[in-house]
Amino acid sequence: MRIFSDIDNDGSVDPAGVRELTRANLAGVGAIVALASARGGVGKSMLAVNVAAALAMKGRKVAIVDADLNSPSITAMLGMKPRRRYPMIEGIEPAAAPHGLRVVSSDQLPGGEAPPISFAQDYDQTDGNGAEPIALAAARPAELSYRGALSRILSQSQFGAVDLLIIDLASGLDRLYALASMVALDGVLLLSHPSSHDAVDTRQAMKIGRAIGAPIAGIVENMAGFNCDGCRAVRPLWPEGDLNGVARESAVPILGRLAFEPRLADSTDRGVLFVREYASTPTAKVLADIASHVDAIVAARTRAVDTPAT
């Protein structure tokens, strides 16, 4: 069975139609926050699960979309066991995760062996008459653009009434552009490393965010040093970049700086929530502070909805 079989092979979608379908489907979602980065490996998924868990432990109803569709890691980081893949009938039912979190990830969707979604734009293997061989078609569960796959996830996932939807984007600023064309974002968290190259990329992300109307809520700097328990100090891992300057010139706050914490890396591998197991550590407190900033976005959105227009 192919996922999203009603999309054209080139993944083309009508922007206005997708936005309308998505808005209707996400009517029960209070606020939508995206985690984005120009480069991979900066810790978006780690941040997503810990921020979501921190808010859920305080009573917020939170859902997560793992939008790194070919290399999903959210379910593993949450310690979720693989479930049987049920065919979609009327929509995508999110999987249940610890603390009441609801998760949609490509490794939980129906459709054969991983990876369930591929993104080739041109597929030129036919039977000589212009038709794709049946065996080849069956071996290819989905053949879509990233935008096409993400649009179907957002327009068909049955999140219900939740306070917050966190969308963990694949790396690349084009992913943020694609998402912003589908949904009205309430905030974007940009993740970066403390290197000069990442500072340049973050500055570019700010420009793109402004151009497409995606509200940049703040920057999170990951791997900002190494947390050395033995020497009781945080030591640099990278030559320091100019992230402070980028934040200052853009009038966007740095929400938190996370040192490389071996226990944090271990907890993600074991599927254990760091903010719960190591709640008293400095790193967990930084994560809790970042979660508080996200919670403020949710609260602001709730006030805006509850305040009648004059």
Side-chain angles (χ1 to χ4, degrees), residues 8-295:
D8 292 338
N9 285 336
D10 64 357
S12 61
V13 288
D14 170 47
V18 167
R19 198 174 181 90
E20 186 64 28
L21 284 172
T22 303
R23 183 175 65 178
N25 187 58
L26 301 181
V29 174
I32 302 175
V33 172
L35 274 59
S37 69
R39 297 167 181 257
V42 295
K44 291 187 301 297
S45 298
M46 172 278 296
L47 186 66
V49 297
N50 281 284
V51 165
L55 293 176
M57 287 189 288
K58 290 184 176 181
R60 289 290 192 188
K61 295 180 180 178
V62 184
I64 307 174
V65 166
D66 189 339
D68 191 347
L69 301 177
N70 260 341
S71 300
S73 57
I74 292 288
T75 55
M77 289 184 180
L78 287 169
M80 298 168 63
K81 295 180 180 179
R83 69 176 185 179
R84 180 183 174 187
R85 295 177 176 182
Y86 296 100
M88 292 186 302
I89 299 174
E90 297 181 354
I92 303 168
E93 181 62 30
H99 297 290
L101 297 174
R102 310 195 76 199
V103 178
V104 172
S105 173
S106 63
D107 59 359
Q108 297 280 357
L109 295 177
E113 298 300 320
I117 299 175
S118 56
F119 305 114
Q121 294 294 326
D122 298 307
Y123 207 85
D124 194 26
Q125 297 188 45
T126 67
D127 61 1
N129 297 314
E132 185 180 57
I134 293 176
L136 185 59
R140 185 161 57 92
E143 196 74 39
L144 305 170
S145 67
Y146 180 90
R147 176 188 169 89
L150 184 57
S151 70
R152 287 309 184 209
I153 287 176
L154 294 176
S155 63
Q156 295 181 13
S157 295
Q158 305 301 303
F159 296 112
V162 294
D163 299 312
L164 172 67
L165 172 62
I166 294 176
I167 301 177
D168 175 26
L169 287 169
S171 59
L173 300 181
D174 56 322
R175 308 310 194 192
L176 177 58
Y177 183 88
L179 177 63
S181 69
M182 301 175 205
V183 299
L185 295 169
D186 296 290
V188 177
L189 270 58
L190 293 175
L191 271 74
S192 177
H193 285 158
S195 70
S196 57
H197 293 299
D198 276 55
V200 170
D201 291 338
T202 302
R203 180 179 286 108
Q204 182 66 16
M206 298 286 187
K207 295 177 181 178
I208 291 175
R210 288 196 182 97
I212 63 179
I216 307 299
I219 303 167
V220 175
E221 188 178 58
N222 194 21
M223 300 189 189
F226 175 74
N227 187 10
C228 178
D229 289 335
C231 56
R232 300 180 181 273
V234 174
R235 296 186 173 183
L237 272 175
W238 309 76
E240 187 172 341
D242 191 28
L243 203 56
N244 281 332
V246 172
R248 189 166 50 250
E249 71 186 37
S250 304
V252 171
I254 296 178
L255 302 181
R257 285 187 163 93
L258 292 162
F260 180 82
E261 163 69 73
R263 289 172 296 188
L264 180 55
D266 176 66
S267 69
T268 58
D269 284 347
R270 292 188 292 118
V272 173
L273 291 166
F274 184 87
V275 291
R276 183 179 62 188
E277 184 160 310
Y278 301 103
S280 62
T281 63
T283 298
K285 291 176 181 177
V286 175
L287 288 167
D289 286 343
I290 296 169
S292 295
H293 286 286
V294 174
D295 194 50

